[in-house]
Amino acid sequence: MNPKPKKLIILVALIILVIGIYLWVTNKAPNIDSSKISTTAVIDYPAEFNYRQTINDCGPFNVAAVVRALKKEKVNSAEFAKNIGWRLPNKYTLPWGMENQLKDNDISVEIPNIKALSDEEKIIFLHERLSAGKPIIILGERDGYEHYITLLGFDSKKDVFYVYDSYFDKKEKDITVDKNDNMPGNRNLTSKKLLDFWRGSGMYGVYNWYVIVASIN
């Protein structure tokens, strides 16, 4: 047998196995304690940290943002982009790369099965985790492409989430514009707009409604 087809078959089998294990591990709906939900929540993230990503680097730029938010360390997003693993030839970052890089920086990750929740429950879930001071990375669809953003807080009365979007409009060379004033991140999204963005995540039935909840033990 030609060694190349054999290697390809083994690679495909491994990918299917890993995806199967991933789906098996995440088939349970996440626990939500409504008593722990605040009306508002804000995770400190100064506007000076709203770094504008380089091409296809939204994954590592969001990992770096979470490390800055949780550990208060001024880490270099470009270095995270250089060192992250699980990247495709076009530099797209697979979720495993982000999960591993967060763990390498002593950040704990929760990868919940959001598909098991209704739209209303999804928003309640985000409110509960953000109320606990846990930043959240979400995969969604923007302009026909998959894109990661980070949630850094919310105000349920105003129906807004405070978002760091590394591909937001450019202010200067390395920084985005800031359109949510003194709130963390650089823009706001309503629940509906966030759900619409999030709904577009994934491909071929994998990574739909993908989310990473980050925390420090």
Side-chain angles (χ1 to χ4, degrees):
M1 184 176 185
N2 189 315
K4 287 187 177 180
K6 186 175 180 180
K7 288 181 180 179
L8 180 60
I9 291 172
I10 293 173
L11 177 60
V12 171
L14 286 173
I15 292 173
I16 292 173
L17 176 62
V18 171
I19 290 174
I21 293 173
Y22 170 82
L23 293 175
W24 177 75
V25 170
T26 60
N27 65 355
K28 185 179 178 182
N31 294 322
I32 303 174
D33 187 346
S34 298
S35 68
K36 295 182 178 180
I37 298 177
S38 305
T39 304
T40 64
V42 173
I43 298 169
D44 184 44
Y45 194 83
E48 66 186 274
F49 292 157
N50 290 330
Y51 294 110
R52 183 65 151 60
Q53 71 174 78
T54 37
I55 296 175
N56 292 344
D57 281 334
C58 59
F61 268 63
N62 279 273
V63 171
V66 167
V67 173
R68 282 191 287 269
L70 287 177
K71 301 181 72 174
K72 310 306 178 187
E73 297 177 359
K74 195 173 182 180
V75 296
N76 188 315
S77 297
E79 286 298 315
F80 275 57
K82 185 186 302 182
N83 297 321
I84 199 167
W86 289 97
R87 303 196 83 171
L88 299 177
N90 59 5
K91 291 180 64 181
Y92 285 177
T93 305
L94 295 175
W96 299 319
M98 300 176 64
E99 294 168 25
N100 290 341
Q101 193 169 54
L102 285 165
K103 292 173 185 177
D104 288 343
N105 283 273
D106 301 318
I107 303 293
S108 297
V109 301
E110 175 191 6
I111 315 297
N113 179 24
I114 294 297
K115 288 188 286 188
L117 303 177
S118 67
D119 282 2
E120 181 180 0
E121 289 170 333
K122 289 179 176 72
I123 297 301
I124 293 172
F125 168 83
L126 297 177
H127 285 171
E128 195 254 24
R129 296 308 196 262
L130 288 168
S131 294
K134 300 177 180 181
I136 299 172
I137 298 176
I138 283 179
L139 176 64
E141 183 180 23
R142 170 178 170 170
D143 302 326
Y145 297 94
E146 296 292 284
H147 183 55
Y148 296 103
I149 61 174
T150 299
L151 307 185
L152 295 163
F154 70 93
D155 186 323
S156 57
K157 289 185 177 179
K158 296 179 180 178
D159 186 30
V160 295
F161 284 91
Y162 307 129
V163 178
Y164 165 62
D165 183 345
S166 60
Y167 199 57
F168 205 37
D169 300 336
K170 187 185 297 185
K171 176 182 179 181
E172 49 193 66
K173 182 181 179 182
D174 298 320
I175 301 293
T176 72
V177 298
D178 185 354
K179 289 193 175 180
N180 64 357
D181 300 322
N182 62 339
M183 293 294 102
N186 52 14
R187 63 183 303 192
N188 294 341
L189 287 177
T190 64
S191 297
K192 182 182 184 307
K193 287 185 177 180
L194 179 61
L195 287 169
D196 288 344
F197 167 82
W198 200 0
R199 203 182 313 277
S201 62
M203 61 189 80
Y204 308 113
V206 182
Y207 298 123
N208 300 119
W209 298 104
Y210 181 76
V211 57
I212 302 175
V213 180
S215 62
I216 296 180
N217 290 331

